C-alpha cells in the first residue's frame, strides 16, 4: 500500500477520500453560478411584481426554463459541497457529523428537485 | 543540552496564530461574511423552490407566496437574500481571482475586500431602487 509517490497516493483521495474533487467542483459550480445567478436575479425581478398568469407564461418559455434549470442544478450542487465543507469544519463527533452530512444531501436534492419539477411542470403544461 | 535548544527554539519560532489575540481586519471579516452569506443563501434557496412550485401549482397557491414575499417580513428576507447573493457572488469572483494566483499582495487584498463590500451594498441598493421603480412598491 506504500507504492507510488506521496502525491500519487493522495491524488483523488485524501482524508475525505475525495481529494481535490470537491475543491474543483466547487470552483466549477462557482464559475457557472456567475452568469446563472445574474440571470436569475434579473428574471426574478421582472417576475415578482407580476400576476400568476404572467409568471406562468414567462417561466414556461423555453429559454427562461432552461436558464432556471441550469441555475437550480448548479446552485444546489454548489450549496451541497459548500455546506459539507462547513459541517466538516465545525462538527467533529462522528454521529452528529454523519447525520448532518446526510441531512445536507437530502436537503439540497429536495430543494433542487422541487424547483426542477416545478419548471418542468410549467414547461410541459400538465 | 536538549533543554537549551528547546528554549532557544521556543523564542525564535513563529508563534502559531491564536484567534483570541487577532485584531479583526477587513479581509478577515470578508472571509467570514462569505461563509455567512453562503449559509444564508443555503437556507434562503427553499424560498426559490416555493416560488416556482407555487407558480406551477396555480393562482391560489401563488397568491399565498405573493402575500408572504410582499409582507414586511418577506421583504426583509428578500432584501437579505438579495444582498447575500450579490455579496457572495462578488466574493466568489474574488476567490476565483485568487485561484489564478493573483490578488494576494498586501494592497490588492485590502482593495479587493473593500470593493467586495462597497460593490455589494451599492448593487443591492440599485437593484431595490430599480425594483421599487418598476413595481411601484406593491404587488
Ligand atoms: C444561491 C446561490 C449560492 C449559494 C446557496 C451558495 C452557497 C455557498 C456555500 C454554503 C459555500 C460554503 C462557504 C464556505 O465554505 O465558507 C459557498 C462557497 C463558495 N461560493 Fe457560493 N453560493 C451561491 C452562489 C455563488 C456564486 C454566484 C458564486 C460566484 C462565483 C459562488 C462562489 C463560491 C466560492 C468560490 C466558494 C468557495 C469559498 C471558499 O473556498 O472558501 N457562490 N457557497
Amino acid at each position: 500500500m506504500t507504492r507510488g509517490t506521496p502525491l500519487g497516493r493522495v491524488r483523488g483521495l485524501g482524508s475525505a477520500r475525495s481529494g481535490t474533487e470537491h475543491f474543483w467542483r466547487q470552483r466549477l459550480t462557482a464559475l457557472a453560478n456567475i452568469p446563472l445567478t445574474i440571470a436569475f436575479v434579473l428574471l426574478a425581478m421582472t417576475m415578482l411584481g407580476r400576476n400568476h398568469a404572467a409568471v406562468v407564461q414567462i417561466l414556461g418559455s423555453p429559454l427562461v426554463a432552461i436558464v432556471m434549470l441550469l441555475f437550480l442544478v448548479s446552485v444546489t450542487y454548489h450549496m451541497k459541497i459548500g455546506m459539507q465543507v462547513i459541517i466538516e469544519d465545525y462538527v467533529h463527533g462522528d454521529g452528529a457529523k454523519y447525520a448532518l452530512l446526510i441531512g445536507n444531501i437530502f436537503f439540497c436534492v429536495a430543494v433542487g428537485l422541487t424547483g426542477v419539477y416545478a419548471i418542468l411542470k410549467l414547461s410541459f403544461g400538465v | 543540552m536538549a533543554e537549551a535548544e528547546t528554549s532557544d527554539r521556543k523564542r525564535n519560532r513563529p508563534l502559531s496564530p491564536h484567534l483570541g489575540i487577532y485584531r479583526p481586519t477587513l479581509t478577515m471579516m470578508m472571509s467570514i461574511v462569505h461563509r455567512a452569506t453562503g449559509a444564508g443563501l443555503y437556507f434562503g434557496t427553499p424560498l426559490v423552490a416555493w416560488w416556482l412550485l407555487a407558480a406551477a401549482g396555480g393562482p391560489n397557491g401563488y397568491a399565498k407566496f405573493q402575500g408572504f414575499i410582499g409582507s414586511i417580513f418577506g421583504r426583509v428576507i428578500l432584501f437579505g437574500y438579495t444582498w447575500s447573493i450579490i455579496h457572495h457572488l462578488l466574493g466568489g469572483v474574488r476567490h476565483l481571482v485568487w485561484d489564478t494566483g493573483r490578488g494576494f499582495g498586501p494592497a490588492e487584498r485590502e482593495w479587493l475586500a473593500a470593493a467586495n463590500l462597497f460593490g455589494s451594498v451599492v448593487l443591492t441598493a440599485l437593484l431595490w431602487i430599480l425594483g421599487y421603480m418598476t413595481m411601484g412598491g406593491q404587488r
Side-chain angles (χ1 to χ4, degrees):
Chain A
M1 279 276 85
T2 50
R3 272 181 300 140
T5 61
L7 176 65
R9 268 184 279 128
V10 299
R11 192 171 276 156
L13 290 170
S15 62
R17 295 279 165 253
S18 59
T20 55
E21 214 37 46
H22 274 167
F23 178 89
W24 162 243
R25 289 188 191 157
Q26 184 77 347
R27 266 64 195 169
L28 188 71
T29 52
L31 202 62
N33 277 352
I34 299 175
L36 293 173
T37 29
I38 292 173
F40 164 73
V41 168
L42 295 177
L43 283 172
M45 278 184 70
T46 60
M47 280 182 266
L48 277 184
R50 312 228 181 158
N51 63 27
H52 179 249
V55 171
V56 166
Q57 201 182 19
I58 298 172
L59 281 177
S61 64
L63 191 62
V64 173
I66 290 168
V67 168
M68 287 301 297
L69 288 174
L70 291 172
F71 168 79
L72 286 164
V73 171
S74 182
V75 160
T76 49
Y77 193 30
H78 175 91
M79 254 166 62
K80 180 256 164 195
I81 307 168
M83 188 52 76
Q84 176 159 346
V85 173
I86 296 180
I87 294 166
E88 285 164 353
D89 277 358
Y90 301 128
V91 185
H92 302 300
D94 267 353
K97 187 167 89 179
Y98 284 106
L100 286 172
L101 289 176
I102 292 166
N104 177 41
I105 298 172
F106 287 175
F107 178 86
C108 294
V109 170
V111 170
L113 284 190
T114 302
V116 167
Y117 162 79
I119 295 291
L120 292 180
K121 185 166 189 290
L122 285 162
S123 299
F124 301 135
V126 191
Chain B
M1 182 201 90
E3 226 173 66
E5 204 187 58
T6 330
S7 59
D8 193 45
R9 271 208 212 126
K10 251 186 196 152
R11 239 176 285 126
N12 291 324
R13 71 175 184 212
L15 290 172
S16 73
H18 190 282
L19 278 178
I21 54 168
Y22 256 127
R23 177 177 58 88
T25 61
L26 185 64
T27 45
M28 189 171 140
M29 292 314 293
M30 285 301 102
S31 169
I32 296 167
V33 170
H34 188 78
R35 174 158 284 192
T37 51
L41 290 168
Y42 182 95
F43 293 107
T45 301
L47 276 180
V48 178
W50 180 24
W51 172 45
L52 301 175
L53 196 64
N60 289 340
Y62 199 69
K64 280 207 189 84
F65 171 79
Q66 282 187 309
F68 172 79
I69 211 73
S71 70
I72 296 291
F73 182 62
R75 281 178 207 218
V76 169
I77 301 236
L78 191 60
F79 188 82
Y81 193 85
T82 315
W83 177 73
S84 296
I85 217 170
I86 301 288
H87 191 282
H88 190 91
L89 174 85
L90 295 178
V93 171
R94 205 161 58 108
H95 268 279
L96 295 176
V97 169
W98 284 330
D99 289 342
T100 69
R102 277 168 272 238
F104 287 108
E108 290 165 304
R109 49 170 205 251
E110 293 301 324
W111 179 87
L112 277 169
N116 191 167
L117 186 60
F118 182 76
S120 71
V121 172
V122 169
L123 279 175
T124 306
L126 276 178
L127 286 178
W128 273 68
I129 291 169
L130 205 70
Y132 268 92
M133 269 166 40
T134 52
M135 294 170 205
Q138 52 198 343
R139 335 206 94 85

